[in-house]
Amino acid sequence: MAPTTAYDTFLDKQIKNGKPRIAVEEATAIRELFKGIETPQQAAVRYTSVVTSATKRKDVEANLKGIWLLMENLGARFPEHHDKLTSLMQAIIALPDMMLGSERIIQWSELPFMKEMWADEGWDNPPTDRINRAAFEAMLYSKDILITSYNGYEILAETFEYSPSSSSQLDSESSKKLDVDIQRAERWIANAGEKLFGCTDFYENSRFERVPGLFKGPKGFNRKRWAFWKQRAEEMSSWRELKSESRDACSRIGEAMEKIEGEVW
């Protein structure tokens, strides 16, 4: 008998008393995908079967929300499987539209309800879940799935513009918050930094208008803002009030941003 994995335990709990409870087929799709038994395309058909087998619109919508919530929870808990979850999302987008009678009610490429389901950042979630979710979102963004550059800009701004200006201003609470924010920022730079830096989408760049913060330059995303974030990361790498993992992460962020600049410019 194969040993029980952490995701087996999680999925079993979701089947028995999850909110909402998930169908066996959803759980089976994830198990088979993670174990390499099913391809992403096969898993996509099985994973969405709870939606495509529904015969009423309200059930279709409820089940859609359920599979997106499960996807979010999986991304937050199992970062070692982000690659497979991203491949699953790519396969779901490629599924044929769903018809209910003569009406097309799902265009999978649009990922209906998913943006609304993921709008809540989940501030009350455990720090590790929030860090893993940021990594998953960045990976999805790198593959042009759902997430926009705005998500990454927000996290980088929160970390480097809306944190204390010097280490002397840190207290226990702000240190804990900054430790988490730095880890989230690193995941975005590692998984999608080059794409963020090269984003030329005028709408995405201009709607990012966080003010006022430590950055005193022009609104929106721009190269001056990127340089400011890099400078702040380099400064924070020497803040002894932060955890060593956070200081190391700041060093990696600064190095990665420097490398991206050299490759893109």
Side-chain angles (χ1 to χ4, degrees):
M1 184 175 178
T4 300
T5 66
Y7 62 77
D8 282 319
T9 301
F10 170 77
L11 291 168
D12 287 340
K13 287 182 179 178
Q14 295 302 302
I15 291 171
K16 293 177 181 177
N17 51 26
K19 294 182 179 179
R21 292 198 296 181
I22 68 173
V24 172
E25 282 295 281
E26 293 172 77
T28 301
I30 297 301
R31 293 185 215 269
E32 304 285 87
L33 177 71
F34 284 3
K35 293 173 183 175
I37 297 172
E38 286 193 350
T39 66
Q41 292 71 29
Q42 292 169 326
V45 173
R46 190 193 293 267
Y47 187 73
T48 59
S49 62
V50 66
V51 177
T52 56
S53 62
T55 57
K56 296 181 180 178
R57 177 181 287 273
K58 65 180 181 66
D59 293 331
V60 169
E61 294 181 356
N63 293 338
L64 262 176
K65 293 175 181 178
I67 66 172
W68 299 147
L69 180 60
L70 176 58
M71 184 69 69
E72 180 182 358
N73 287 334
L74 290 167
R77 286 166 174 78
F78 305 106
E80 68 275 19
H81 292 297
H82 281 175
D83 284 339
K84 290 182 178 179
L85 291 172
T86 300
S87 295
L88 176 59
M89 288 297 299
Q90 290 176 306
I92 289 174
I93 287 174
L95 289 172
D97 296 347
M98 177 182 171
M99 307 295 292
L100 195 59
S102 59
E103 181 185 5
R104 179 190 290 108
I105 62 168
I106 295 180
Q107 188 173 346
W108 287 106
S109 60
E110 298 296 322
L111 299 173
F113 294 109
M114 192 172 183
K115 181 174 287 189
E116 292 85 346
M117 292 295 297
W118 281 38
D120 181 9
E121 202 280 328
W123 291 98
D124 295 331
N125 291 341
T128 300
D129 285 9
R130 295 180 60 224
I131 293 166
N132 290 340
R133 171 175 162 156
F136 188 35
E137 286 185 342
M139 190 170 290
L140 292 176
Y141 168 70
S142 73
K143 303 296 183 183
D144 296 316
I145 302 171
L146 179 74
I147 308 299
T148 69
S149 59
Y150 184 83
N151 298 70
Y153 295 154
E154 281 284 290
I155 286 176
L156 288 162
E158 183 69 25
T159 304
F160 298 122
E161 297 178 30
Y162 297 87
S163 52
S165 60
S166 67
S167 60
S168 62
Q169 297 176 331
L170 286 170
D171 55 24
S172 175
E173 202 62 34
S174 60
S175 290
K176 288 180 182 177
K177 180 181 183 302
L178 188 54
D179 280 325
V180 174
D181 287 343
I182 288 169
Q183 298 297 327
R184 295 166 71 222
E186 187 196 9
R187 300 310 190 274
W188 262 93
I189 291 296
N191 289 346
E194 187 171 329
K195 186 174 179 182
L196 279 178
F197 183 71
C199 180
T200 57
D201 187 312
F202 177 78
Y203 172 71
E204 287 301 321
N205 289 354
S206 62
R207 80 183 179 113
F208 172 65
E209 294 186 347
R210 276 198 160 204
V211 290
L214 296 176
F215 178 66
K216 304 305 179 184
K219 294 181 180 180
F221 173 72
N222 48 71
R223 300 296 167 88
K224 288 184 178 180
R225 199 163 211 146
W226 176 274
F228 179 79
W229 291 340
K230 184 181 70 171
Q231 174 190 330
R232 288 278 289 162
E234 291 167 347
E235 291 171 357
M236 289 179 181
S237 68
S238 64
W239 287 10
R240 294 300 173 186
E241 292 79 1
L242 295 174
K243 292 181 179 179
S244 60
E245 308 94 271
S246 298
R247 297 197 301 271
D248 291 344
C250 282
S251 293
R252 290 192 295 270
I253 290 171
E255 290 168 2
M257 294 178 87
E258 183 79 28
K259 182 180 179 182
I260 289 167
E261 289 176 2
E263 292 175 348
V264 176
W265 271 343

